[in-house]
Amino acid sequence: MLWVRPGHAGYLGPELDVGVHSAPVACLGLGLDEPFRLETAESGEHTARSVFAAARTRHRIVTDGWILLLYAEPGGAASKALLDGMTRTEGPYGFHSRHEAALLDAARTGVDALDHLVSSLAPPPRPPDPRVMRVVRAIRSDPSAFPRARDAADAVGMSVAHFLRAFVSATGTTFRRYRQWARLRVVGAGLDAGHDLTRCAADAGFSSPSHLSETFRRTFGLSLTGLLASGVEVDVR
């Protein structure tokens, strides 16, 4: 199962031989059957049952069992709650979530239980710069709203340098990477609606299906066609 919500996305199923990748959003991985091996570009290999990887870190999870992956929207309350739940941190990684037992129970119950748990863990977020949030809402509605950071900065009356700093502070990732995340969310909605990859790519602003596939591979470490061939079910609400 692959599902997408306004503040997070998730995958529940077997590990699909994902390569080393750098996601534009933070990710929590949980081994449902056993601990897994985390391979990182920054700090070598680790064995753990649950791991939090910050946005833009290069890593991969290796396991023979099933896994839960939760991708939290940058800067959101869910992302902060998942990171704060880790009992140990090392650089951009957190290990051994305090919520392991609850996440395991929810994962075995189903996606609705996971959604409810993630929402219940998230504290009220600190109010970010409202000018940045105007841009975030616009991108979430239409990822092509601002082709360049300068366009967004001009629209809210900020210098480009100040806007880019404020954007990272508010979201935890860069303007370009956030646009990429928003475009991939559009692709998920298109797949859920039964559209083919050509239409999904066009609707999300990718130049071609191959451009979409390459972006997906760089982001999640596997091909989009390979994911779909695995029989995954897509749920977007």
Side-chain angles (χ1 to χ4, degrees), residues 53-89:
R56 295 176 288 157
T57 55
R58 289 181 54 76
H59 67 278
R60 69 182 294 226
I61 288 173
V62 180
T63 180
D64 293 327
W66 274 42
I67 56 171
L68 166 67
L69 299 175
L70 289 174
Y71 296 93
E73 185 166 291
S79 178
K80 184 177 188 304
L82 294 175
L83 174 60
D84 288 349
M86 308 314 290
T87 60
R88 179 173 69 85
T89 59

PDB file of all heavy atoms in Angstrom, residues 53-89:
ATOM      1  N   ALA A  53      15.306   9.444   9.097  1.00  0.00           N
ATOM      2  CA  ALA A  53      16.297  10.062   8.212  1.00  0.00           C
ATOM      3  C   ALA A  53      15.802  11.442   7.814  1.00  0.00           C
ATOM      4  O   ALA A  53      14.690  11.576   7.289  1.00  0.00           O
ATOM      5  CB  ALA A  53      16.525   9.200   6.972  1.00  0.00           C
ATOM      6  N   ALA A  54      16.598  12.465   8.079  1.00  0.00           N
ATOM      7  CA  ALA A  54      16.207  13.826   7.728  1.00  0.00           C
ATOM      8  C   ALA A  54      16.138  13.985   6.212  1.00  0.00           C
ATOM      9  O   ALA A  54      16.679  13.174   5.453  1.00  0.00           O
ATOM     10  CB  ALA A  54      17.206  14.822   8.322  1.00  0.00           C
ATOM     11  N   ALA A  55      15.451  15.030   5.774  1.00  0.00           N
ATOM     12  CA  ALA A  55      15.367  15.315   4.342  1.00  0.00           C
ATOM     13  C   ALA A  55      16.763  15.497   3.754  1.00  0.00           C
ATOM     14  O   ALA A  55      17.681  15.992   4.417  1.00  0.00           O
ATOM     15  CB  ALA A  55      14.536  16.577   4.116  1.00  0.00           C
ATOM     16  N   ARG A  56      16.941  15.031   2.522  1.00  0.00           N
ATOM     17  CA  ARG A  56      18.161  15.218   1.733  1.00  0.00           C
ATOM     18  C   ARG A  56      19.353  14.421   2.264  1.00  0.00           C
ATOM     19  O   ARG A  56      20.492  14.759   2.005  1.00  0.00           O
ATOM     20  CB  ARG A  56      18.504  16.707   1.621  1.00  0.00           C
ATOM     21  CG  ARG A  56      17.468  17.521   0.851  1.00  0.00           C
ATOM     22  CD  ARG A  56      17.801  19.000   0.863  1.00  0.00           C
ATOM     23  NE  ARG A  56      17.558  19.567   2.172  1.00  0.00           N
ATOM     24  CZ  ARG A  56      18.141  20.672   2.613  1.00  0.00           C
ATOM     25  NH1 ARG A  56      19.021  21.310   1.868  1.00  0.00           N
ATOM     26  NH2 ARG A  56      17.858  21.146   3.804  1.00  0.00           N
ATOM     27  N   THR A  57      19.094  13.345   3.015  1.00  0.00           N
ATOM     28  CA  THR A  57      20.178  12.454   3.424  1.00  0.00           C
ATOM     29  C   THR A  57      20.193  11.235   2.498  1.00  0.00           C
ATOM     30  O   THR A  57      19.148  10.730   2.121  1.00  0.00           O
ATOM     31  CB  THR A  57      19.985  11.967   4.874  1.00  0.00           C
ATOM     32  OG1 THR A  57      18.696  11.349   4.991  1.00  0.00           O
ATOM     33  CG2 THR A  57      20.079  13.119   5.851  1.00  0.00           C
ATOM     34  N   ARG A  58      21.381  10.782   2.132  1.00  0.00           N
ATOM     35  CA  ARG A  58      21.516   9.639   1.225  1.00  0.00           C
ATOM     36  C   ARG A  58      21.594   8.350   2.052  1.00  0.00           C
ATOM     37  O   ARG A  58      22.496   8.186   2.874  1.00  0.00           O
ATOM     38  CB  ARG A  58      22.760   9.792   0.345  1.00  0.00           C
ATOM     39  CG  ARG A  58      22.610  10.892  -0.700  1.00  0.00           C
ATOM     40  CD  ARG A  58      23.841  11.007  -1.591  1.00  0.00           C
ATOM     41  NE  ARG A  58      24.213   9.746  -2.214  1.00  0.00           N
ATOM     42  CZ  ARG A  58      23.583   9.197  -3.251  1.00  0.00           C
ATOM     43  NH1 ARG A  58      22.550   9.812  -3.793  1.00  0.00           N
ATOM     44  NH2 ARG A  58      23.992   8.048  -3.770  1.00  0.00           N
ATOM     45  N   HIS A  59      20.622   7.458   1.812  1.00  0.00           N
ATOM     46  CA  HIS A  59      20.543   6.242   2.614  1.00  0.00           C
ATOM     47  C   HIS A  59      19.728   5.186   1.882  1.00  0.00           C
ATOM     48  O   HIS A  59      19.101   5.456   0.865  1.00  0.00           O
ATOM     49  CB  HIS A  59      19.890   6.548   3.962  1.00  0.00           C
ATOM     50  CG  HIS A  59      18.441   6.933   3.841  1.00  0.00           C
ATOM     51  ND1 HIS A  59      18.036   8.208   3.508  1.00  0.00           N
ATOM     52  CD2 HIS A  59      17.304   6.204   3.971  1.00  0.00           C
ATOM     53  CE1 HIS A  59      16.721   8.256   3.456  1.00  0.00           C
ATOM     54  NE2 HIS A  59      16.245   7.051   3.728  1.00  0.00           N
ATOM     55  N   ARG A  60      19.742   3.972   2.420  1.00  0.00           N
ATOM     56  CA  ARG A  60      18.856   2.915   1.964  1.00  0.00           C
ATOM     57  C   ARG A  60      18.607   1.958   3.107  1.00  0.00           C
ATOM     58  O   ARG A  60      19.442   1.814   4.023  1.00  0.00           O
ATOM     59  CB  ARG A  60      19.430   2.163   0.760  1.00  0.00           C
ATOM     60  CG  ARG A  60      20.637   1.318   1.063  1.00  0.00           C
ATOM     61  CD  ARG A  60      21.201   0.633  -0.168  1.00  0.00           C
ATOM     62  NE  ARG A  60      20.314  -0.354  -0.744  1.00  0.00           N
ATOM     63  CZ  ARG A  60      20.703  -1.562  -1.131  1.00  0.00           C
ATOM     64  NH1 ARG A  60      21.981  -1.935  -0.990  1.00  0.00           N
ATOM     65  NH2 ARG A  60      19.855  -2.405  -1.653  1.00  0.00           N
ATOM     66  N   ILE A  61      17.442   1.300   3.076  1.00  0.00           N
ATOM     67  CA  ILE A  61      17.080   0.283   4.058  1.00  0.00           C
ATOM     68  C   ILE A  61      17.144  -1.076   3.378  1.00  0.00           C
ATOM     69  O   ILE A  61      16.635  -1.250   2.268  1.00  0.00           O
ATOM     70  CB  ILE A  61      15.664   0.547   4.615  1.00  0.00           C
ATOM     71  CG1 ILE A  61      15.692   1.773   5.541  1.00  0.00           C
ATOM     72  CG2 ILE A  61      15.123  -0.665   5.345  1.00  0.00           C
ATOM     73  CD1 ILE A  61      14.325   2.212   6.016  1.00  0.00           C
ATOM     74  N   VAL A  62      17.786  -2.036   4.049  1.00  0.00           N
ATOM     75  CA  VAL A  62      17.938  -3.386   3.492  1.00  0.00           C
ATOM     76  C   VAL A  62      17.323  -4.370   4.478  1.00  0.00           C
ATOM     77  O   VAL A  62      17.726  -4.433   5.649  1.00  0.00           O
ATOM     78  CB  VAL A  62      19.420  -3.733   3.259  1.00  0.00           C
ATOM     79  CG1 VAL A  62      19.547  -5.129   2.672  1.00  0.00           C
ATOM     80  CG2 VAL A  62      20.074  -2.703   2.340  1.00  0.00           C
ATOM     81  N   THR A  63      16.345  -5.152   4.013  1.00  0.00           N
ATOM     82  CA  THR A  63      15.703  -6.154   4.862  1.00  0.00           C
ATOM     83  C   THR A  63      15.004  -7.185   3.994  1.00  0.00           C
ATOM     84  O   THR A  63      14.627  -6.898   2.858  1.00  0.00           O
ATOM     85  CB  THR A  63      14.680  -5.502   5.819  1.00  0.00           C
ATOM     86  OG1 THR A  63      14.076  -6.507   6.634  1.00  0.00           O
ATOM     87  CG2 THR A  63      13.593  -4.770   5.057  1.00  0.00           C
ATOM     88  N   ASP A  64      14.822  -8.375   4.541  1.00  0.00           N
ATOM     89  CA  ASP A  64      14.051  -9.409   3.855  1.00  0.00           C
ATOM     90  C   ASP A  64      12.585  -9.378   4.266  1.00  0.00           C
ATOM     91  O   ASP A  64      11.765 -10.104   3.695  1.00  0.00           O
ATOM     92  CB  ASP A  64      14.625 -10.796   4.167  1.00  0.00           C
ATOM     93  CG  ASP A  64      16.012 -10.993   3.573  1.00  0.00           C
ATOM     94  OD1 ASP A  64      16.271 -10.437   2.492  1.00  0.00           O
ATOM     95  OD2 ASP A  64      16.829 -11.696   4.202  1.00  0.00           O
ATOM     96  N   GLY A  65      12.257  -8.559   5.276  1.00  0.00           N
ATOM     97  CA  GLY A  65      10.883  -8.525   5.784  1.00  0.00           C
ATOM     98  C   GLY A  65      10.099  -7.334   5.248  1.00  0.00           C
ATOM     99  O   GLY A  65      10.531  -6.620   4.348  1.00  0.00           O
ATOM    100  N   TRP A  66       8.941  -7.138   5.833  1.00  0.00           N
ATOM    101  CA  TRP A  66       8.094  -6.001   5.468  1.00  0.00           C
ATOM    102  C   TRP A  66       8.542  -4.761   6.241  1.00  0.00           C
ATOM    103  O   TRP A  66       9.089  -4.861   7.353  1.00  0.00           O
ATOM    104  CB  TRP A  66       6.633  -6.303   5.790  1.00  0.00           C
ATOM    105  CG  TRP A  66       5.931  -7.033   4.684  1.00  0.00           C
ATOM    106  CD1 TRP A  66       6.434  -8.063   3.941  1.00  0.00           C
ATOM    107  CD2 TRP A  66       4.620  -6.786   4.213  1.00  0.00           C
ATOM    108  NE1 TRP A  66       5.496  -8.472   3.021  1.00  0.00           N
ATOM    109  CE2 TRP A  66       4.370  -7.711   3.158  1.00  0.00           C
ATOM    110  CE3 TRP A  66       3.613  -5.891   4.557  1.00  0.00           C
ATOM    111  CZ2 TRP A  66       3.166  -7.750   2.466  1.00  0.00           C
ATOM    112  CZ3 TRP A  66       2.405  -5.929   3.871  1.00  0.00           C
ATOM    113  CH2 TRP A  66       2.196  -6.838   2.835  1.00  0.00           C
ATOM    114  N   ILE A  67       8.297  -3.604   5.639  1.00  0.00           N
ATOM    115  CA  ILE A  67       8.671  -2.338   6.264  1.00  0.00           C
ATOM    116  C   ILE A  67       7.514  -1.344   6.186  1.00  0.00           C
ATOM    117  O   ILE A  67       6.625  -1.448   5.329  1.00  0.00           O
ATOM    118  CB  ILE A  67       9.918  -1.707   5.602  1.00  0.00           C
ATOM    119  CG1 ILE A  67       9.694  -1.519   4.087  1.00  0.00           C
ATOM    120  CG2 ILE A  67      11.161  -2.502   5.903  1.00  0.00           C
ATOM    121  CD1 ILE A  67      10.788  -0.722   3.412  1.00  0.00           C
ATOM    122  N   LEU A  68       7.555  -0.394   7.092  1.00  0.00           N
ATOM    123  CA  LEU A  68       6.701   0.786   7.052  1.00  0.00           C
ATOM    124  C   LEU A  68       7.604   1.985   6.805  1.00  0.00           C
ATOM    125  O   LEU A  68       8.605   2.153   7.496  1.00  0.00           O
ATOM    126  CB  LEU A  68       5.961   0.976   8.376  1.00  0.00           C
ATOM    127  CG  LEU A  68       5.297   2.344   8.596  1.00  0.00           C
ATOM    128  CD1 LEU A  68       4.137   2.545   7.635  1.00  0.00           C
ATOM    129  CD2 LEU A  68       4.834   2.488  10.047  1.00  0.00           C
ATOM    130  N   LEU A  69       7.278   2.797   5.814  1.00  0.00           N
ATOM    131  CA  LEU A  69       7.990   4.042   5.560  1.00  0.00           C
ATOM    132  C   LEU A  69       6.995   5.187   5.670  1.00  0.00           C
ATOM    133  O   LEU A  69       5.957   5.183   4.992  1.00  0.00           O
ATOM    134  CB  LEU A  69       8.619   4.038   4.159  1.00  0.00           C
ATOM    135  CG  LEU A  69       9.647   2.947   3.867  1.00  0.00           C
ATOM    136  CD1 LEU A  69      10.075   3.003   2.403  1.00  0.00           C
ATOM    137  CD2 LEU A  69      10.862   3.094   4.775  1.00  0.00           C
ATOM    138  N   LEU A  70       7.284   6.156   6.528  1.00  0.00           N
ATOM    139  CA  LEU A  70       6.449   7.346   6.671  1.00  0.00           C
ATOM    140  C   LEU A  70       7.253   8.554   6.211  1.00  0.00           C
ATOM    141  O   LEU A  70       8.303   8.861   6.775  1.00  0.00           O
ATOM    142  CB  LEU A  70       6.026   7.537   8.130  1.00  0.00           C
ATOM    143  CG  LEU A  70       5.011   6.534   8.683  1.00  0.00           C
ATOM    144  CD1 LEU A  70       4.807   6.774  10.176  1.00  0.00           C
ATOM    145  CD2 LEU A  70       3.681   6.633   7.946  1.00  0.00           C
ATOM    146  N   TYR A  71       6.769   9.220   5.166  1.00  0.00           N
ATOM    147  CA  TYR A  71       7.408  10.427   4.641  1.00  0.00           C
ATOM    148  C   TYR A  71       6.599  11.627   5.125  1.00  0.00           C
ATOM    149  O   TYR A  71       5.424  11.767   4.784  1.00  0.00           O
ATOM    150  CB  TYR A  71       7.429  10.395   3.112  1.00  0.00           C
ATOM    151  CG  TYR A  71       8.265   9.277   2.541  1.00  0.00           C
ATOM    152  CD1 TYR A  71       7.690   8.055   2.220  1.00  0.00           C
ATOM    153  CD2 TYR A  71       9.633   9.444   2.329  1.00  0.00           C
ATOM    154  CE1 TYR A  71       8.449   7.022   1.701  1.00  0.00           C
ATOM    155  CE2 TYR A  71      10.405   8.412   1.810  1.00  0.00           C
ATOM    156  CZ  TYR A  71       9.803   7.206   1.497  1.00  0.00           C
ATOM    157  OH  TYR A  71      10.561   6.187   0.983  1.00  0.00           O
ATOM    158  N   ALA A  72       7.226  12.486   5.936  1.00  0.00           N
ATOM    159  CA  ALA A  72       6.519  13.608   6.536  1.00  0.00           C
ATOM    160  C   ALA A  72       6.843  14.895   5.806  1.00  0.00           C
ATOM    161  O   ALA A  72       8.005  15.174   5.499  1.00  0.00           O
ATOM    162  CB  ALA A  72       6.889  13.742   8.013  1.00  0.00           C
ATOM    163  N   GLU A  73       5.819  15.689   5.532  1.00  0.00           N
ATOM    164  CA  GLU A  73       6.011  16.943   4.822  1.00  0.00           C
ATOM    165  C   GLU A  73       7.000  17.826   5.571  1.00  0.00           C
ATOM    166  O   GLU A  73       6.919  17.965   6.791  1.00  0.00           O
ATOM    167  CB  GLU A  73       4.676  17.675   4.671  1.00  0.00           C
ATOM    168  CG  GLU A  73       4.770  18.932   3.845  1.00  0.00           C
ATOM    169  CD  GLU A  73       3.395  19.436   3.435  1.00  0.00           C
ATOM    170  OE1 GLU A  73       2.729  18.794   2.618  1.00  0.00           O
ATOM    171  OE2 GLU A  73       3.011  20.494   3.959  1.00  0.00           O
ATOM    172  N   PRO A  74       7.978  18.411   4.872  1.00  0.00           N
ATOM    173  CA  PRO A  74       9.026  19.185   5.540  1.00  0.00           C
ATOM    174  C   PRO A  74       8.461  20.284   6.439  1.00  0.00           C
ATOM    175  O   PRO A  74       7.534  20.996   6.063  1.00  0.00           O
ATOM    176  CB  PRO A  74       9.810  19.803   4.368  1.00  0.00           C
ATOM    177  CG  PRO A  74       9.532  18.908   3.217  1.00  0.00           C
ATOM    178  CD  PRO A  74       8.128  18.405   3.424  1.00  0.00           C
ATOM    179  N   GLY A  75       9.038  20.393   7.617  1.00  0.00           N
ATOM    180  CA  GLY A  75       8.661  21.468   8.519  1.00  0.00           C
ATOM    181  C   GLY A  75       7.333  21.270   9.206  1.00  0.00           C
ATOM    182  O   GLY A  75       6.947  22.073  10.053  1.00  0.00           O
ATOM    183  N   GLY A  76       6.605  20.207   8.864  1.00  0.00           N
ATOM    184  CA  GLY A  76       5.293  19.989   9.439  1.00  0.00           C
ATOM    185  C   GLY A  76       5.352  19.389  10.834  1.00  0.00           C
ATOM    186  O   GLY A  76       6.380  18.908  11.301  1.00  0.00           O
ATOM    187  N   ALA A  77       4.193  19.397  11.503  1.00  0.00           N
ATOM    188  CA  ALA A  77       4.134  18.879  12.861  1.00  0.00           C
ATOM    189  C   ALA A  77       4.417  17.384  12.898  1.00  0.00           C
ATOM    190  O   ALA A  77       5.028  16.881  13.844  1.00  0.00           O
ATOM    191  CB  ALA A  77       2.754  19.169  13.455  1.00  0.00           C
ATOM    192  N   ALA A  78       3.997  16.644  11.875  1.00  0.00           N
ATOM    193  CA  ALA A  78       4.237  15.204  11.857  1.00  0.00           C
ATOM    194  C   ALA A  78       5.725  14.905  11.787  1.00  0.00           C
ATOM    195  O   ALA A  78       6.229  14.010  12.480  1.00  0.00           O
ATOM    196  CB  ALA A  78       3.510  14.559  10.683  1.00  0.00           C
ATOM    197  N   SER A  79       6.456  15.649  10.967  1.00  0.00           N
ATOM    198  CA  SER A  79       7.892  15.448  10.849  1.00  0.00           C
ATOM    199  C   SER A  79       8.586  15.693  12.193  1.00  0.00           C
ATOM    200  O   SER A  79       9.436  14.910  12.624  1.00  0.00           O
ATOM    201  CB  SER A  79       8.477  16.383   9.776  1.00  0.00           C
ATOM    202  OG  SER A  79       9.868  16.244   9.682  1.00  0.00           O
ATOM    203  N   LYS A  80       8.220  16.772  12.865  1.00  0.00           N
ATOM    204  CA  LYS A  80       8.828  17.087  14.163  1.00  0.00           C
ATOM    205  C   LYS A  80       8.496  16.018  15.198  1.00  0.00           C
ATOM    206  O   LYS A  80       9.356  15.606  15.977  1.00  0.00           O
ATOM    207  CB  LYS A  80       8.351  18.453  14.649  1.00  0.00           C
ATOM    208  CG  LYS A  80       9.023  18.908  15.947  1.00  0.00           C
ATOM    209  CD  LYS A  80       8.551  20.297  16.335  1.00  0.00           C
ATOM    210  CE  LYS A  80       9.360  20.831  17.531  1.00  0.00           C
ATOM    211  NZ  LYS A  80       9.319  19.929  18.704  1.00  0.00           N
ATOM    212  N   ALA A  81       7.241  15.528  15.182  1.00  0.00           N
ATOM    213  CA  ALA A  81       6.846  14.521  16.159  1.00  0.00           C
ATOM    214  C   ALA A  81       7.612  13.224  15.958  1.00  0.00           C
ATOM    215  O   ALA A  81       8.041  12.583  16.926  1.00  0.00           O
ATOM    216  CB  ALA A  81       5.341  14.266  16.058  1.00  0.00           C
ATOM    217  N   LEU A  82       7.811  12.826  14.712  1.00  0.00           N
ATOM    218  CA  LEU A  82       8.538  11.581  14.450  1.00  0.00           C
ATOM    219  C   LEU A  82       9.998  11.699  14.875  1.00  0.00           C
ATOM    220  O   LEU A  82      10.561  10.763  15.452  1.00  0.00           O
ATOM    221  CB  LEU A  82       8.443  11.228  12.967  1.00  0.00           C
ATOM    222  CG  LEU A  82       7.039  10.865  12.466  1.00  0.00           C
ATOM    223  CD1 LEU A  82       7.057  10.651  10.959  1.00  0.00           C
ATOM    224  CD2 LEU A  82       6.506   9.628  13.177  1.00  0.00           C
ATOM    225  N   LEU A  83      10.616  12.861  14.598  1.00  0.00           N
ATOM    226  CA  LEU A  83      12.004  13.059  15.019  1.00  0.00           C
ATOM    227  C   LEU A  83      12.116  13.113  16.533  1.00  0.00           C
ATOM    228  O   LEU A  83      13.007  12.485  17.130  1.00  0.00           O
ATOM    229  CB  LEU A  83      12.561  14.341  14.399  1.00  0.00           C
ATOM    230  CG  LEU A  83      13.969  14.747  14.872  1.00  0.00           C
ATOM    231  CD1 LEU A  83      14.980  13.648  14.551  1.00  0.00           C
ATOM    232  CD2 LEU A  83      14.387  16.064  14.232  1.00  0.00           C
ATOM    233  N   ASP A  84      11.222  13.843  17.189  1.00  0.00           N
ATOM    234  CA  ASP A  84      11.277  13.973  18.647  1.00  0.00           C
ATOM    235  C   ASP A  84      11.062  12.629  19.336  1.00  0.00           C
ATOM    236  O   ASP A  84      11.460  12.461  20.501  1.00  0.00           O
ATOM    237  CB  ASP A  84      10.229  14.975  19.129  1.00  0.00           C
ATOM    238  CG  ASP A  84      10.576  16.415  18.774  1.00  0.00           C
ATOM    239  OD1 ASP A  84      11.722  16.647  18.348  1.00  0.00           O
ATOM    240  OD2 ASP A  84       9.696  17.284  18.900  1.00  0.00           O
ATOM    241  N   GLY A  85      10.431  11.683  18.640  1.00  0.00           N
ATOM    242  CA  GLY A  85      10.184  10.383  19.242  1.00  0.00           C
ATOM    243  C   GLY A  85      11.384   9.458  19.247  1.00  0.00           C
ATOM    244  O   GLY A  85      11.349   8.397  19.885  1.00  0.00           O
ATOM    245  N   MET A  86      12.477   9.832  18.578  1.00  0.00           N
ATOM    246  CA  MET A  86      13.655   8.958  18.533  1.00  0.00           C
ATOM    247  C   MET A  86      14.455   9.077  19.834  1.00  0.00           C
ATOM    248  O   MET A  86      14.623  10.173  20.373  1.00  0.00           O
ATOM    249  CB  MET A  86      14.535   9.323  17.341  1.00  0.00           C
ATOM    250  CG  MET A  86      13.802   9.387  16.000  1.00  0.00           C
ATOM    251  SD  MET A  86      12.684   8.011  15.646  1.00  0.00           S
ATOM    252  CE  MET A  86      13.851   6.667  15.385  1.00  0.00           C
ATOM    253  N   THR A  87      14.951   7.953  20.330  1.00  0.00           N
ATOM    254  CA  THR A  87      15.663   7.971  21.607  1.00  0.00           C
ATOM    255  C   THR A  87      17.139   8.290  21.452  1.00  0.00           C
ATOM    256  O   THR A  87      17.812   8.618  22.433  1.00  0.00           O
ATOM    257  CB  THR A  87      15.526   6.611  22.323  1.00  0.00           C
ATOM    258  OG1 THR A  87      16.073   5.581  21.484  1.00  0.00           O
ATOM    259  CG2 THR A  87      14.064   6.293  22.600  1.00  0.00           C
ATOM    260  N   ARG A  88      17.676   8.189  20.229  1.00  0.00           N
ATOM    261  CA  ARG A  88      19.094   8.495  20.000  1.00  0.00           C
ATOM    262  C   ARG A  88      19.252   9.114  18.625  1.00  0.00           C
ATOM    263  O   ARG A  88      18.570   8.713  17.682  1.00  0.00           O
ATOM    264  CB  ARG A  88      19.939   7.221  20.083  1.00  0.00           C
ATOM    265  CG  ARG A  88      21.427   7.436  19.830  1.00  0.00           C
ATOM    266  CD  ARG A  88      22.214   6.160  20.109  1.00  0.00           C
ATOM    267  NE  ARG A  88      21.949   5.108  19.152  1.00  0.00           N
ATOM    268  CZ  ARG A  88      22.572   4.982  17.983  1.00  0.00           C
ATOM    269  NH1 ARG A  88      23.487   5.854  17.615  1.00  0.00           N
ATOM    270  NH2 ARG A  88      22.274   3.984  17.169  1.00  0.00           N
ATOM    271  N   THR A  89      20.102  10.114  18.515  1.00  0.00           N
ATOM    272  CA  THR A  89      20.376  10.732  17.222  1.00  0.00           C
ATOM    273  C   THR A  89      21.864  10.668  16.926  1.00  0.00           C
ATOM    274  O   THR A  89      22.699  10.677  17.829  1.00  0.00           O
ATOM    275  CB  THR A  89      19.921  12.209  17.189  1.00  0.00           C
ATOM    276  OG1 THR A  89      20.596  12.942  18.212  1.00  0.00           O
ATOM    277  CG2 THR A  89      18.418  12.325  17.387  1.00  0.00           C
TER     278      THR A  89
END
